[in-house]
Amino acid sequence: MGKNDFLSPKAIANRIKSKGLQKLRWYCQMCQKQCRDENGFKCHLTSESHKRQMMVFGQAPMRVVDGYSEEFESTFLEQLRQSHGSTRVSAKVVYNEFINDRNHVHMNSTKWLSLTEFVQYLGKEGLCRVDETPKGWFISLIQKDAMEALSDERRIKRSRAEKEEEDRLREQMEAQIERAQAAAVLENHLAGLEGGAEDADHASKRQKVDRPKSKLEQLMQQDQARKAQAAAMANGQQKQHADRAQRGQEAAPPGRTDAPWLHKGIVVKVMAKELKDYYKVKGQVVALVSRYVAEVSMLSSGDVLRIDQAQLETVLPSPGGAVLVLRGQHAASKALMLGVDTKRFKAQVQLPAGTEAWLDYEDVCKLHSEL
């Protein structure tokens, strides 16, 4: 039997040692190599493979440590869930079971310096119930139903959308009240002007018998008549706008200068930073609540939100995709995307008549493929 034979006593002893756990201080997590003694570990530190791994580590040290920390945390919690469920158990028992796997992530490569610090972290994050006893730290897993967590998340999103809708409706009602009050004040003022004009007319008729009107008086009377007529027309327009606002047909609410461009079926991008879960996420306009507010279905999750057009942005497809013209003389017309000019921020489209046109990015938007 040769010296390096597979069945030699030394080879068998080496295999037995390799299956068991070695000292943690002689383990290199970056290279995933376990050394048997200090001399072997020093030799490994001077090897070319280890130096290459340390160069990778030096480029983003915090990212590497955070990655090992996340892997250690998830694997430890999975071990606790599978072995003990929600049972209260000593943290040392779980840790010893966890490190039985020879390929586990070692704690010296994470951001936690000791098991006590890691257990305290689990308690602060609400992942486990932890308590300290004379026998050491004990933990129990906090198991939360996945459906319950999903329902809570949807409930939060729904309440947030309802609150935004309530705020928007309240602002609209306040604006309508202000317009109605302004219209009432203007109507009373015009009524006073008309009454004064009638009194002046009667007085002038009485003065006709005594003396003829001068040219200056005639000009003043004509000017007053024109002012009264203009005020009456303005009053009529105010009443018409108020009636449209009450029927939900107001072209532009007070304080808005942008023209409405929302259409059903277009693909838009959410640009509201306060909607953290949906910021820069694309969605399809499935319904119009008003000319400025739409119900948008997120393409990634299917969630439906009510969003103002000021918080949305148009999306351009690749050349050959279908678009909808939003503004201009060809508004509401379907067209074909031909290309873009990034310097002028314009898109080239082919209109239904076969003509080609260059339109601004904001004047065209991608159509959903299901239309």
Side-chain angles (χ1 to χ4, degrees):
M1 185 177 294
K3 182 178 180 181
N4 297 324
D5 198 334
F6 181 77
L7 297 178
S8 65
K10 186 174 181 179
I12 296 174
N14 290 338
R15 288 197 297 273
I16 293 175
K17 289 181 180 179
S18 64
K19 291 182 179 179
L21 295 175
Q22 305 292 323
K23 288 188 177 181
L24 183 59
R25 61 176 179 171
W26 295 335
Y27 181 80
C28 177
Q29 183 66 60
M30 288 295 298
C31 302
Q32 296 183 357
K33 179 176 179 59
Q34 175 70 64
C35 300
R36 295 183 184 176
D37 51 23
E38 185 176 359
N39 183 46
F41 188 67
K42 287 182 179 180
C43 293
H44 171 71
L45 295 180
T46 59
S47 63
E48 291 295 331
S49 60
H50 178 76
K51 291 180 179 179
R52 287 194 297 267
Q53 291 295 332
M54 293 309 296
M55 290 178 61
V56 174
F57 176 79
Q59 293 177 358
M62 294 307 300
R63 184 182 302 176
V64 176
V65 173
D66 291 341
Y68 284 137
S69 301
E70 292 177 1
E71 185 177 355
F72 180 87
E73 177 185 344
S74 61
T75 312
F76 186 91
L77 292 177
E78 185 64 25
Q79 175 66 31
L80 177 60
R81 182 181 296 106
Q82 292 181 356
S83 301
H84 304 281
S86 300
T87 307
R88 181 174 176 270
V89 64
S90 174
K92 292 182 179 179
V93 173
V94 183
Y95 182 72
N96 290 331
E97 295 174 352
F98 171 73
I99 65 176
N100 279 335
D101 182 8
R102 189 165 178 266
N103 298 318
H104 72 279
V105 177
H106 291 66
M107 184 172 286
N108 63 350
S109 61
T110 66
K111 59 184 178 182
W112 302 289
L113 301 179
S114 62
L115 180 61
T116 299
E117 185 179 350
F118 176 64
V119 171
Q120 292 175 349
Y121 163 81
L122 295 179
K124 291 179 181 179
E125 294 296 323
L127 301 174
C128 296
R129 299 182 185 90
V130 301
D131 57 316
E132 186 178 10
T133 66
K135 295 183 178 180
W137 288 91
F138 281 77
I139 60 176
S140 59
L141 184 64
I142 299 176
Q143 292 186 349
K144 190 172 183 180
D145 190 6
M147 295 302 296
E148 181 181 354
L150 183 61
S151 62
D152 292 342
E153 183 179 359
R154 290 180 176 176
R155 190 182 305 112
I156 293 173
K157 293 179 181 178
R158 190 184 304 112
S159 61
R160 186 186 306 165
E162 290 176 354
K163 186 178 183 302
E164 293 178 355
E165 181 66 16
E166 290 176 0
D167 294 341
R168 187 183 63 81
L169 293 176
R170 184 176 65 254
E171 292 176 359
Q172 289 184 353
M173 291 297 296
E174 292 176 354
Q176 290 178 4
I177 293 173
E178 291 178 359
R179 289 196 298 270
Q181 291 176 351
V185 172
L186 182 59
E187 186 175 359
N188 293 334
H189 180 66
L190 291 176
L193 291 176
E194 291 176 357
E198 290 178 357
D199 295 341
D201 190 22
H202 289 310
S204 63
K205 286 181 180 179
R206 288 195 301 270
Q207 291 176 0
K208 268 186 182 180
V209 182
D210 299 335
R211 62 179 178 84
K213 292 183 180 179
S214 65
K215 187 173 291 186
L216 179 61
E217 291 176 347
Q218 292 177 0
L219 292 175
M220 291 177 63
Q221 186 175 358
Q222 292 176 1
D223 185 53
Q224 290 180 357
R226 284 196 299 269
K227 290 181 179 179
Q229 183 178 5
M233 291 177 63
N235 186 28
Q237 291 178 356
Q238 288 285 343
K239 290 182 178 180
Q240 185 177 5
H241 287 318
D243 294 339
R244 287 182 179 177
Q246 292 176 358
R247 295 194 302 267
Q249 299 176 353
E250 183 65 23
R256 297 202 71 147
T257 59
D258 54 332
W261 53 267
L262 292 173
H263 286 78
K264 183 179 179 181
I266 62 175
V267 178
V268 293
K269 183 186 293 184
V270 179
M271 301 303 294
K273 292 184 178 180
E274 56 270 19
L275 301 177
K276 298 181 180 179
D277 297 337
Y278 306 100
Y279 181 59
K280 290 190 177 181
V281 177
K282 296 180 182 179
Q284 176 193 0
V285 176
V286 295
L288 296 180
V289 180
S290 67
R291 300 184 69 183
Y292 289 89
V293 180
E295 289 187 351
V296 182
S297 176
M298 299 295 105
L299 299 180
S300 58
S301 61
D303 297 337
V304 179
L305 302 178
R306 285 190 176 184
I307 310 178
D308 190 276
Q309 75 171 20
Q311 298 176 322
L312 298 174
E313 185 181 76
T314 58
V315 175
L316 296 180
S318 302
V323 296
L324 184 70
V325 182
L326 306 179
R327 302 186 184 93
Q329 60 179 348
H330 303 290
S333 300
K334 295 182 179 180
L336 187 66
M337 187 75 177
L338 298 180
V340 294
D341 188 345
T342 56
K343 295 183 179 179
R344 297 189 302 158
F345 300 100
K346 289 185 177 293
Q348 186 182 17
V349 299
Q350 182 178 1
L351 299 171
T355 58
E356 298 180 0
W358 286 94
L359 302 176
D360 293 335
Y361 284 172
E362 295 80 7
D363 294 342
V364 293
C365 190
K366 177 181 179 181
L367 275 172
H368 197 262
S369 58
E370 295 180 357
L371 296 178

